[in-house]
Amino acid sequence: MTGEQIPVAPRASNIEYAIRDVVVPATKLESEGHTILKLNIGDPIAYPGLPTPEHMVEAYVQALRDGNNGYSPSYGIPSLRSALARDEQRKGWAATAEDIYVCHGVTEALQILFAAVLCDGDKVLAPGPHYPPYMAYPQMYGATTVEYRLKPDDGWKLDLEDIKSKMDDSVRLLVLINPNNPCGSVANESEIKALLEIARNYPKCMIVADEIYDGLDFTGEHVSVASCSNDVPVVSLNGVSKVYYAPGWRIGYMALHDPSGCLHLVRDGIERMLRARLCASTPAQLGYLAGLESDRSWMKDYASKVVQQRDVCIDRIRSIEGLEVQSSGGAFYMFVKLTDPKWANDDKQFVLDLLHEEHVLVVHGSGFSPELGKGHFRIVCLPEPDVLNDAFDRIERFLIRHR
Ligand SMILES: Cc1ncc(COP(=O)(O)O)c(C=O)c1O
């Protein structure tokens, strides 16, 4: 029986998250007994070979056994805040424990930051294409997200002229995702300095530096944005999900770099929001702390596995007629261009047809930017080479069949 419907708020009914939206038809196919090759989700734990390091798991379990199951302080466990400040210092700026706010992942940090800063009519200037929450969340606070262009034929570099032309006083947050999801591009120091040069002219604007993939930089050119800024305020975002391979723990943080002392009000707003939502998970924070305080040489082995798999993807994509790709410099993504005219204008249909006919799941590029992502699809290079090869065989077969 279906009764008269209680209205839903448009802020919820309008929200989309492409990466998980395509999972709905895939789950249906699975329930019918089909096996799906999943190249869609940026979760290393969903694939074999990149488990959460044992010493971190041990610390989490030990925390539970030791009775560390209570609420933690709202801004994070002090020892974790100190360890994270030391880690940010290592990246080149004078962070203190008080600058670190621990959240339930970067995702919660974003919600809190947007809630603390954005009002009706404000803008967020974010890269196109971008990780979807940068578009989805600001609208909840009456703000809009405007995209600046990443250059599709030039390694997805920042289009600085486009950024300049779109900046005005209503832009409160200028976002850099570095390395980028979905493109896998890495902005270097000179691009970051040019970005800061632009932001410097807008005193109400701060930079959001999403550096959650910084430990997966294969160019050797990654630098933290905060380490480059002597004046412009920067909120650095990072966490346990990607580089420490524990996304299900839901722990991340924001670090406030405030060299000009202009963030006192914003900081107060953020702290109020954090207190109102109590705290992040206590045992998960202790698991993260163990990762920060132990030897991290294991990270190199993990990263080289990702690089090997990235190379398999690049070789295969470049050998398939109808596809093109820029080499990726970081993270575990690749944003593949559909040059085949049949699909170039309908990446969503490509994804759905590929799923139904060949049981390969990727994410449509327009889900990362309606304009700047269309005609592309995103893959993750996390599956093992034999799965990747199988997936590319199927993609090739699919393209040939529809030519
Ligand atoms: C750029 C970027 N930021 C943040 C996140 C989510 O981070 P967390 O798991 O800490 O919420 C993701 C996840 O895919 C991401 O790609």
Side-chain angles (χ1 to χ4, degrees):
M1 199 175 92
T2 314
E4 188 176 335
Q5 295 304 297
I6 295 176
V8 59
R11 81 174 69 86
S13 59
N14 289 341
I15 210 158
E16 282 183 28
Y17 187 74
I19 302 165
R20 289 194 179 226
D21 291 350
V22 290
V23 174
V24 178
T27 309
K28 184 160 181 293
L29 284 170
E30 277 179 324
S31 72
E32 290 161 9
H34 300 289
T35 303
I36 308 295
L37 300 187
K38 292 179 186 153
L39 274 61
N40 63 311
I41 194 151
D43 176 354
I45 302 304
Y47 305 89
L50 297 166
T52 313
E54 197 47 39
H55 61 281
M56 293 174 62
V57 174
E58 266 311 311
Y60 193 137
V61 171
Q62 197 55 47
L64 299 175
R65 295 231 165 83
D66 290 346
N68 284 312
N69 297 307
Y71 292 126
S72 80
S74 290
Y75 312 154
I77 293 175
S79 52
L80 177 62
R81 295 178 81 197
S82 299
L84 288 169
R86 283 194 297 278
D87 204 41
E88 288 295 328
Q89 286 162 16
R90 187 178 58 82
K91 297 174 193 175
W93 64 283
T96 67
E98 288 67 42
D99 296 324
I100 308 289
Y101 296 101
V102 180
C103 299
H104 263 297
V106 164
T107 307
E108 192 200 32
L110 279 178
Q111 289 169 14
I112 286 173
L113 181 64
F114 291 151
V117 173
L118 298 176
C119 296
D120 282 346
D122 285 343
K123 287 188 217 146
V124 174
L125 190 53
H130 58 259
Y131 175 59
Y134 285 99
M135 180 72 81
Y137 290 146
Q139 39 181 321
M140 293 191 192
Y141 306 103
T144 46
T145 299
V146 176
E147 294 172 86
Y148 65 82
R149 187 170 167 271
L150 300 179
K151 296 180 187 167
D153 300 322
D154 187 13
W156 301 104
K157 281 192 182 335
L158 310 186
D159 185 337
L160 294 161
E161 289 311 312
D162 196 42
I163 298 177
K164 262 185 221 157
S165 73
K166 288 174 176 164
M167 280 300 286
D168 61 38
D169 285 324
S170 64
V171 175
R172 305 295 315 283
L173 301 169
L174 172 54
V175 178
L176 180 69
I177 304 171
N178 199 30
N180 178 277
N181 174 10
C183 303
S185 48
V186 177
N188 62 23
E189 187 168 349
S190 76
E191 288 175 275
I192 291 172
K193 287 197 166 148
L195 190 77
L196 289 165
E197 191 64 48
I198 298 171
R200 190 164 289 131
N201 299 317
Y202 298 91
K204 283 201 211 142
C205 178
M206 63 185 109
I207 307 265
V208 177
D210 185 334
E211 295 173 346
I212 192 159
Y213 299 101
D214 64 353
L216 284 161
D217 161 44
F218 318 129
T219 64
E221 293 190 23
H222 187 276
V223 288
S224 107
V225 177
S227 73
C228 298
S229 178
N230 300 321
D231 45 9
V232 179
V234 180
V235 182
S236 305
L237 302 172
N238 216 319
V240 82
S241 290
K242 310 295 179 177
V243 172
Y244 287 86
Y245 301 85
W249 289 8
R250 311 305 308 124
I251 292 293
Y253 66 94
M254 61 177 126
L256 265 50
H257 176 48
D258 184 18
S260 313
C262 59
L263 289 184
H264 295 303
L265 297 177
V266 170
R267 193 184 274 272
D268 179 59
I270 288 171
E271 291 184 351
R272 288 170 187 270
M273 300 273 316
L274 287 166
R275 295 197 294 270
R277 69 51 152 140
L278 307 193
C279 68
S281 156
T282 304
Q285 290 186 66
L286 292 166
Y288 189 12
L289 179 62
L292 287 159
E293 290 193 326
S294 311
D295 175 61
R296 295 185 219 177
S297 49
W298 61 270
M299 279 185 185
K300 281 209 183 89
D301 298 338
Y302 276 51
S304 56
K305 184 168 162 51
V306 175
V307 171
Q308 275 168 20
Q309 289 168 189
R310 174 200 69 169
D311 292 345
V312 170
C313 295
I314 291 177
D315 284 354
R316 287 302 309 264
I317 293 166
R318 291 195 172 153
S319 74
I320 296 177
E321 200 186 320
L323 303 181
E324 262 176 27
V325 75
Q326 303 279 315
S327 181
S328 116
F332 29 62
Y333 305 106
M334 237 166 268
F335 209 51
V336 185
K337 186 172 178 184
L338 286 159
T339 53
D340 188 326
K342 174 156 173 64
W343 304 108
N345 288 321
D346 203 349
D347 50 272
K348 180 99 189 252
Q349 201 56 49
F350 169 82
V351 168
L352 293 175
D353 289 357
L354 178 70
L355 171 65
H356 283 102
E357 292 180 28
E358 293 290 348
H359 301 158
V360 175
L361 182 58
V362 297
V363 187
H364 48 293
S366 49
F368 297 91
S369 168
E371 259 315 297
L372 300 162
K374 70 178 184 210
H376 290 79
F377 63 94
R378 189 193 76 169
I379 59 160
V380 296
C381 36
L382 291 170
E384 306 258 90
D386 55 336
V387 178
L388 290 170
N389 276 315
D390 188 3
F392 286 117
D393 288 346
R394 295 182 194 204
I395 292 173
E396 185 165 28
R397 191 164 71 197
F398 175 86
L399 285 167
I400 291 171
R401 191 165 58 244
H402 286 276
R403 200 163 287 150

